Amino acid sequence: MRQAAPDLKAVPEPAVPSWKDVVGGKAGKGSAGSGATPRFTTQAVAGPRFSLAADGDADGLDDGFEGAVADAFTPVYHVSANERPLTGFARFADAPTQSVVAVRSNPPVPPTSHFRVVPLGFATNGAGQQVSVLRLDYLTLWNWDDGLDITTACRADLIFVGGFIGFNASLLLEGLQAHAIDNERSAALVAAPVPAPGVFNTDPAAYSAYSYYTAGHEGTFTDTSAYFVPSQPVPAGGHINLALSRAKHATYTFNPDFLPLLPGSLISFAYATVDLLWISGQIQDPLLYLALLALLDGVFFACFVEHFTEMGGFIADPRINVGEPGRPINGSSFIADGRLAPKLTVPLW
Ligand SMILES: [Ca+2]
Ligand SMILES: [Ca+2]
């Protein structure tokens, strides 16, 4: 029996692990995406900081502490070479929509980081200690998404394959088009033993990272977002190495060059359909059968893939604390923009 085509309108709903379970060691461990183990770079990162004893974003955390703990885990970014000359990391006006006022581009390194530190509460770690828990958001805000880098021939092949096998190629192509403003991100879940029951630890160096989130093509059928849970929490000063794919700027813990973007369900459906047509005798010419398989190989593993060219790792500079939704700081009213706000308000853990 012929299997049903996957529903290309159904955007996968990511499962959100409980932060208390993650910190307690009860959530699944594992590597994200490729199965490759992420690399960490250990180094101290310091920069000019705002005065202590200030809580401009009214989240109960000293903003000097927020900056220091964010620095302790800030990623080492590997930005792909060969971005377009005008595409880069954006700075925005202090206004409730994202209005670009400056761009770091050509090359877009070191990246500009907009970050956010927010307290989640208390949990019990795997050793039975009470810990205070923070979510660290690291926003990589581009002025432009240049769309998936695919040739006209690739597009034509996808449309042919879609028509032959029975899926809507234009739906897939829509999700990968170029657009202005490209809000990408990663995040870390960190925790530290409390100095006294129910008291937040305010020593940045006491924190360790229990889980990382990397966003890729969020909210589309080709969503490649992933969690990485290290086998041991990563101490402060350990910076995860992240790669940002060319043009689309999806974030990965591994080199994503040639990572297939079309979902596995669609890929297996396509091969199964061609096989069925061959076995059932609807395709009788073996050369046609082989040509179709080669076409699928090209579409799935050479056309609709990420591109990434290594040019080294960079700590972001500047690194700007955007504050909290409703209480932005450092001229960051733009976090109220409807494209960006949910990335700070929807739980990741
Ligand atoms: Ca604060
Ligand atoms: Ca904050």
Side-chain angles (χ1 to χ4, degrees), residues 8 158 167-176 221-222 262-263 266:
L8 301 188
L158 182 73
F167 65 85
N168 187 339
S170 61
L171 271 177
L172 290 177
L173 290 164
E174 270 170 32
L176 297 166
F221 192 64
T222 55
L262 296 180
L266 177 65

Side-chain angles (χ1 to χ4, degrees), residues 57 59 66 117 324:
D57 58 353
D59 60 1
E66 290 190 32
V117 177
E324 298 298 321

Side-chain angles (χ1 to χ4, degrees), residues 17-51:
S18 145
W19 57 267
K20 290 192 177 183
D21 285 350
V22 173
V23 170
K26 296 179 197 120
K29 300 200 185 299
S31 58
S34 72
T37 305
R39 286 192 300 124
F40 287 84
T41 301
T42 304
Q43 70 179 89
V45 171
R49 283 296 157 210
F50 297 94
S51 60

Side-chain angles (χ1 to χ4, degrees), residues 27-312:
K29 300 200 185 299
S31 58
S34 72
T37 305
R39 286 192 300 124
F40 287 84
T41 301
T42 304
Q43 70 179 89
V45 171
R49 283 296 157 210
F50 297 94
S51 60
L52 298 177
D55 184 16
D57 58 353
D59 60 1
L61 296 178
D62 180 276
D63 297 347
F65 164 75
E66 290 190 32
V69 77
D71 277 357
F73 295 96
T74 194
V76 172
Y77 289 110
H78 296 249
V79 177
S80 177
N82 305 320
E83 287 284 354
R84 291 193 184 183
L86 300 179
T87 297
F89 293 97
R91 300 288 296 272
F92 302 94
D94 190 11
T97 52
Q98 284 180 286
S99 169
V100 175
V101 294
V103 179
R104 174 160 298 167
S105 59
N106 198 26
V109 291
T112 301
S113 171
H114 290 91
F115 70 85
R116 180 267 201 123
V117 177
V118 66
L120 296 182
F122 297 95
T124 304
N125 69 13
Q129 291 173 302
Q130 190 182 44
V131 290
S132 51
V133 184
L134 306 169
R135 167 176 162 175
L136 313 180
D137 291 282
Y138 295 101
L139 306 172
T140 39
L141 306 178
W142 298 75
N143 62 333
W144 194 256
D145 173 322
D146 289 306
L148 193 68
D149 184 8
I150 49 170
T151 63
T152 307
C154 280
R155 275 172 201 277
D157 284 355
L158 182 73
I159 290 164
F160 174 79
V161 166
F164 196 83
I165 290 171
F167 65 85
N168 187 339
S170 61
L171 271 177
L172 290 177
L173 290 164
E174 270 170 32
L176 297 166
Q177 276 175 353
H179 54 87
I181 302 294
D182 187 20
N183 296 322
E184 300 291 346
R185 59 172 172 154
S186 64
L189 182 72
V190 303
V194 296
V199 178
F200 249 77
N201 194 318
T202 56
D203 175 8
Y207 280 82
S208 298
Y210 286 72
S211 179
Y212 296 87
Y213 172 78
T214 51
H217 314 278
E218 282 182 312
T220 73
F221 192 64
T222 55
D223 198 327
T224 54
S225 304
Y227 289 94
F228 168 67
V229 177
S231 56
Q232 290 293 319
V234 177
H239 304 277
I240 193 167
N241 282 260
L242 298 178
L244 309 184
S245 68
R246 185 164 78 237
K248 297 296 296 178
H249 312 133
T251 304
Y252 297 97
T253 57
F254 52 89
N255 182 330
D257 204 25
F258 282 93
L259 179 76
L261 282 175
L262 296 180
S265 60
L266 177 65
I267 294 175
S268 59
F269 169 73
Y271 284 98
T273 302
V274 169
D275 279 345
L276 184 67
L277 293 173
W278 169 245
I279 292 163
S280 67
Q282 292 172 74
I283 298 173
Q284 295 192 340
D285 179 353
L287 290 178
L288 175 59
Y289 171 65
L290 293 175
L292 283 168
L293 292 182
L295 190 62
L296 295 184
D297 289 349
V299 165
F300 293 130
F301 301 109
C303 286
F304 285 80
V305 295
E306 293 285 17
H307 294 286
F308 177 81
T309 304
E310 182 65 75
M311 62 171 184

